Amino acid sequence: MRQTRLGRRLIQLYAGLTLYGVSSAFLVRADLGLEPWNVLHQGLAELTGLTIGVVTVVVGAVVLLLWVPLRQRPGLGTVSNVVVVGLAMDGTLALLPGVHSLTVRVLLLVAGVVLNGMATGLYIAARFGPGPRDGLMTGLHRRTGRSIRLMRTVLEVTVVVTGFALGGTIGVGTVLYALAIGPLAQLFLRLFAVPAAPAGTPADAATPPERAILHP
């Protein structure tokens, strides 16, 4: 039973992270506005000439280093998040051609937001630790005593403004994502919830940051 549960959790983790990268690529191709961190990633990609997926990996690794002074403990999901999302994003962009039709772009936007919510629910429900950016929010919350709402707002406003200044895309998609991702992620988190293992099981040691995403 325990092995079955672990197998399901691993499948959910990597399916969720891969789908997250795919959904982010949909938003890039829609070109109607990106989620906050990808505004920064796109801006840095424009500045450096690297692909947005490679920038996503590099930024994730840098953010993970910021966990050290915050005394955050990464899990398998944290490290996997750094690598898998960026690779899946670049792979999808390589296969998905540019789109000019507004109708198709809107469909890609809606599909990207919904799939992103599904992906978030999948990998959080796997309980292998938060993503590096989520962990940064919760780590700052614990160290400063400030609310997660404030930490999330400060971080996301900072990355959006910086990314936009560097050439990242903001627009209706950014607003739609901000309004929809919480309810969608909560819905899929409940749908994909894996029964918890008995207390003390090492694989369940990392606690997911639901509050950072679902209850800011």
Side-chain angles (χ1 to χ4, degrees):
M1 179 65 179
R2 183 176 299 175
Q3 289 182 340
T4 301
R5 180 169 47 236
L6 178 59
R8 173 183 167 180
R9 290 172 59 212
L10 285 169
I11 291 171
Q12 281 196 201
L13 171 65
Y14 290 107
L17 294 178
T18 301
L19 188 58
Y20 198 103
V22 171
S23 66
S24 294
F26 281 12
L27 296 178
V28 171
R29 285 290 184 251
D31 196 27
L32 293 169
L34 299 175
E35 63 267 49
W37 279 95
N38 273 335
V39 176
L40 175 62
H41 298 154
Q42 188 181 54
L44 288 172
E46 293 286 337
L47 178 67
T48 61
L50 299 172
T51 66
I52 190 172
V54 169
V55 170
T56 299
V57 172
V58 172
V59 171
V62 171
V63 170
L64 190 55
L65 289 177
L66 297 177
W67 282 35
V68 176
L70 296 175
R71 298 179 182 178
Q72 290 280 89
R73 181 179 299 176
L76 174 63
T78 311
V79 178
S80 298
N81 185 299
V82 171
V83 178
V84 175
V85 172
L87 294 179
M89 192 174 181
D90 269 355
T92 304
L93 287 171
L95 296 173
L96 189 64
V99 177
H100 301 290
S101 167
L102 180 59
T103 301
V104 177
R105 289 167 60 199
V106 170
L107 289 174
L108 278 174
L109 170 62
V110 173
V113 171
V114 173
L115 289 177
N116 196 280
M118 181 183 297
T120 301
L122 274 168
Y123 87 78
I124 290 179
R127 300 197 310 277
F128 279 110
R133 297 155 187 82
D134 300 324
L136 179 61
M137 284 188 284
T138 55
L140 287 170
H141 157 67
R142 293 191 185 101
R143 293 287 286 178
T144 65
R146 303 291 184 176
S147 69
I148 287 181
R149 181 190 299 273
L150 177 61
M151 292 297 96
R152 178 176 180 172
T153 300
V154 168
L155 283 173
E156 294 195 349
V157 168
T158 300
V159 299
V160 166
V161 170
T162 303
F164 180 68
L166 293 173
T169 304
I170 62 173
V172 64
T174 310
V175 177
L176 177 62
Y177 183 90
L179 294 174
I181 191 60
L184 284 171
Q186 189 169 33
L187 169 65
F188 287 112
L189 180 60
R190 291 171 178 167
L191 182 63
F192 297 122
V194 180
T201 301
D204 279 338
T207 302
E210 290 95 339
R211 289 192 301 160
I213 297 176
L214 308 180
H215 304 292

